[in-house]
Amino acid sequence: MTARSGDEQVQLKVIIVGAGIGGLLLAILLEKIGLDYDIFERSKEVRPLGSIMSIGPNILPVIEQLGLLDDLLKFSFPVPTLNIYNEDMSHVGTTSFEAFKERGGYDFLAFSRPDFHHLLLSQIPSHKLHLGKKVLSLLQGDRGAMIRTSDGKTHEGDIVVGADGAHSAIRQCLYDRLAEENKLPRSDSTNLDLGYNCMVGVATGLDSEIYPGLKDGHAHFCTTVAYNVPHSWRIFMVPGNRICWSVSVQITLNEGKTQAMRNSEWGPEAIEDMVKLVAHHKVPVGGTLGDLIEATPKDLISKVVLEEKMFETWYHDRTVLLGDACHKMMPSAGQGACNAMQDAVILANCLFDLQSGSIEDITAAFKSYKNQRYPQASAQFKISQQVGKIFYGHSFTERMIRYAILNWAPKSLESGNFVKAYSYRPQAVFLPQVEDRGLFKALPQHESRRMKACEEAAKSQRQPQPL
């Protein structure tokens, strides 16, 4: 590692563990900065698992900065509304997203998560991605960091980023060491809270005569909540005559105790029983969940346990956590992936500002990253909890609250929630800034010391010199 002078970049090697949305976006940003990195992914192949993904004004400026917005628009639909139904297909109410573009400068977009993952992956040089690399151990010290992977090899770098999900191996290695040193907060030593068993997929090759909404050019977003069983299901229509679907079954306390020790990762296994349990449920756009499941390639149907936890420890020495590894949110408000991407943006900004590769400067960068991100991620974590209870809750009280909010709540309440969620629109400080087009202006961003120094140097060069 070398220190920099002036506007030169500190030369570091970054090890990114996890090739999910957050890890890939961080890698793309490091490419723009000029920082060396490698990505280590435990899976032996990149599989397009997952279902729907939706993002809005709070991350789309960065997608535009990277020149990827036009590509994203090719496989996404704007989402004008969310319609909620009871199990008998009676309509509960509607919430609108149509003001997003005016207020935040961008539409609220929906698309297939695998499509977006492929878009990000296409920006990564193939030699930078290493598959089948399950992390077994982590070492770090004054001179660098090292991971050991399941193939018996070791990999060295200056910084390790744990972007490897809710059951992060990097977090576990880090926390084990901190626990041995009595430095781990008690709250970080407890398991994640289990909420739902969830099954997802993307139905393909659908007939637009059977599902005429596919012709409309926007994403029909529908959520249905069952009466007597703790089931809820969601659908989005996306380009290409496809419907992204997900179905959730709430976990009881006893089931939670049984599953607490299981490592719940995305995967196509253990779905047959769940299919039998939910296939008969009707879908607002016609037919049943079973019809959509039948139209989904079997190897691309995946099941996951949805969990949540806000961790307190995000970094130590040369290791830092990102996304689900440090704040696992329920997908109720659709902010999990978005917050992982915001983490990537702020972490990249902090690495861009590094003064040297010393452990002191790296720790200071990580501290700045957490200070900028923790309040925002914590707020979104709480919103996800609230939205889950309001929109997907099964109790009589939750049903009444849901109906009241969707039908009687004043528009000013919706506007206030929008400002809280979408005024936070960080951008990469080292790329040309995208114009703030929203009616509600973006919150001020943390100032980059390096960019400020460059601007001051450029300004002094433009000033006329005395004769």
Side-chain angles (χ1 to χ4, degrees):
M1 70 187 78
T2 59
R4 66 173 169 83
S5 61
D7 62 352
E8 294 179 0
Q9 178 63 50
V10 176
Q11 294 305 304
L12 298 173
K13 177 64 175 289
V14 180
I15 294 174
I16 301 173
V17 179
I21 299 296
L24 291 180
L25 184 63
L26 177 63
I28 295 170
L29 293 167
L30 296 186
E31 282 276 343
K32 299 295 183 182
I33 295 174
L35 275 175
D36 190 18
Y37 69 90
D38 278 292
I39 306 172
F40 297 90
E41 166 60 39
R42 64 179 295 175
S43 301
K44 294 182 179 180
E45 58 180 326
V46 178
R47 303 187 66 187
L49 297 175
S51 178
I52 190 63
M53 185 171 167
S54 56
I55 57 178
N58 51 356
I59 195 60
L60 283 171
V62 177
I63 303 303
E64 185 172 357
Q65 279 187 297
L66 292 171
L68 300 177
L69 183 57
D70 288 342
D71 291 319
L72 173 60
L73 292 174
K74 292 175 183 177
F75 57 79
S76 64
F77 274 156
V79 185
T81 58
L82 160 61
N83 285 286
I84 298 185
Y85 297 84
N86 290 316
E87 185 178 9
D88 62 1
M89 296 297 102
S90 59
H91 187 245
V92 178
T94 300
T95 186
S96 174
F97 302 115
E98 291 183 311
F100 269 51
K101 190 161 190 176
E102 177 187 13
R103 295 174 178 176
Y106 298 84
D107 283 315
F108 185 50
L109 298 177
F111 44 86
S112 161
R113 186 186 184 100
D115 286 347
F116 188 66
H117 191 267
H118 282 315
L119 175 61
L120 297 183
L121 195 61
S122 70
Q123 309 300 306
I124 306 295
S126 59
H127 68 279
K128 292 287 189 179
L129 177 62
H130 310 277
L131 301 175
K133 295 283 190 175
K134 181 181 179 180
V135 174
L136 299 180
S137 64
L138 163 70
L139 294 174
Q140 55 180 341
D142 290 341
R143 295 187 178 183
M146 181 181 72
I147 61 170
R148 181 170 63 88
T149 51
S150 54
D151 57 1
K153 295 183 179 180
T154 58
H155 310 275
E156 298 181 1
D158 299 293
I159 289 172
V160 175
V161 180
D164 49 341
H167 296 271
S168 167
I170 292 298
R171 187 186 67 231
Q172 191 61 53
C173 292
L174 184 66
Y175 281 15
D176 285 348
R177 178 63 182 272
L178 290 174
E180 290 176 2
E181 300 174 0
N182 293 319
K183 295 179 180 178
L184 186 70
R186 180 175 297 179
S187 62
D188 284 343
S189 64
T190 60
N191 292 325
L192 285 79
D193 295 326
L194 304 181
Y196 300 87
N197 282 317
C198 184
M199 184 170 63
V200 302
V202 182
T204 62
L206 299 174
D207 188 339
S208 60
E209 298 303 319
I210 298 176
Y211 300 100
L214 292 168
K215 304 175 184 178
D216 293 343
H218 61 79
H220 289 267
F221 178 16
C222 305
T223 290
T224 308
V225 183
Y227 283 119
N228 300 316
V229 288
H231 301 175
S232 59
W233 51 101
R234 286 151 294 285
I235 66 160
F236 278 90
M237 291 184 172
V238 296
N241 284 7
R242 296 176 297 167
I243 294 180
C244 298
W245 56 268
S246 69
V247 56
S248 301
V249 176
Q250 196 166 15
I251 296 173
T252 66
L253 181 61
N254 288 335
E255 290 171 336
K257 291 179 180 178
T258 302
Q259 297 188 39
M261 299 303 293
R262 297 180 185 174
N263 186 333
S264 51
E265 300 286 353
W266 290 96
E269 65 280 347
I271 64 172
E272 290 302 322
D273 288 343
M274 195 165 178
V275 170
K276 294 176 183 178
L277 188 66
V278 303
H280 66 282
H281 288 311
K282 294 180 180 178
V283 177
V285 295
T288 65
L289 277 172
D291 297 329
L292 297 180
I293 294 170
E294 186 65 27
T296 304
K298 296 299 178 287
D299 60 336
L300 299 183
I301 297 175
S302 53
K303 180 174 177 284
V304 68
V305 176
L306 300 182
E307 304 152 298
E308 63 179 6
K309 186 174 177 65
M310 193 75 192
F311 293 92
E312 294 298 321
T313 306
W314 285 28
Y315 65 90
H316 183 69
D317 287 346
R318 296 179 176 273
T319 302
V320 64
L321 305 176
L322 179 154
D324 286 354
C326 53
H327 49 69
K328 180 67 176 79
M329 303 178 190
M330 291 293 181
S332 315
Q335 290 298 306
C338 179
N339 272 267
M341 289 190 284
Q342 290 174 337
D343 288 351
V345 173
I346 300 303
L347 180 57
N349 287 346
C350 292
L351 297 182
F352 175 76
D353 259 358
L354 271 174
Q355 297 296 303
S356 76
S358 70
I359 196 167
E360 292 80 13
D361 281 352
I362 288 173
T363 298
F366 291 167
K367 182 179 180 180
S368 178
Y369 157 67
K370 185 187 176 185
N371 287 344
Q372 292 181 61
R373 284 294 302 138
Y374 189 89
Q376 297 293 335
S378 180
Q380 287 302 313
F381 179 83
K382 293 174 182 176
I383 289 173
S384 294
Q385 289 180 316
Q386 295 167 357
V387 170
K389 292 179 180 179
I390 292 170
F391 285 160
Y392 311 125
H394 296 274
S395 71
F396 177 79
T397 300
E398 289 166 337
R399 290 180 184 278
M400 293 300 100
I401 293 174
R402 177 161 58 243
Y403 185 85
I405 288 179
L406 291 173
N407 294 280
W408 300 332
K411 292 297 181 183
S412 59
L413 177 62
E414 178 184 316
S415 177
N417 289 335
F418 179 93
V419 173
K420 289 179 182 179
Y422 294 101
S423 292
Y424 180 70
R425 304 194 287 271
Q427 296 191 36
V429 296
F430 46 86
L431 295 176
Q433 298 297 285
V434 172
E435 178 187 0
D436 189 356
R437 299 184 288 267
L439 179 63
F440 296 145
K441 297 303 178 183
L443 293 173
Q445 192 159 335
H446 186 81
E447 187 174 50
S448 166
R449 292 177 297 178
R450 182 176 170 192
M451 289 303 297
K452 183 178 179 180
C454 291
E455 290 169 359
E456 290 176 350
K459 182 178 178 181
S460 65
Q461 291 178 359
R462 291 195 300 267
Q463 291 178 346
Q465 300 297 316
L467 296 176

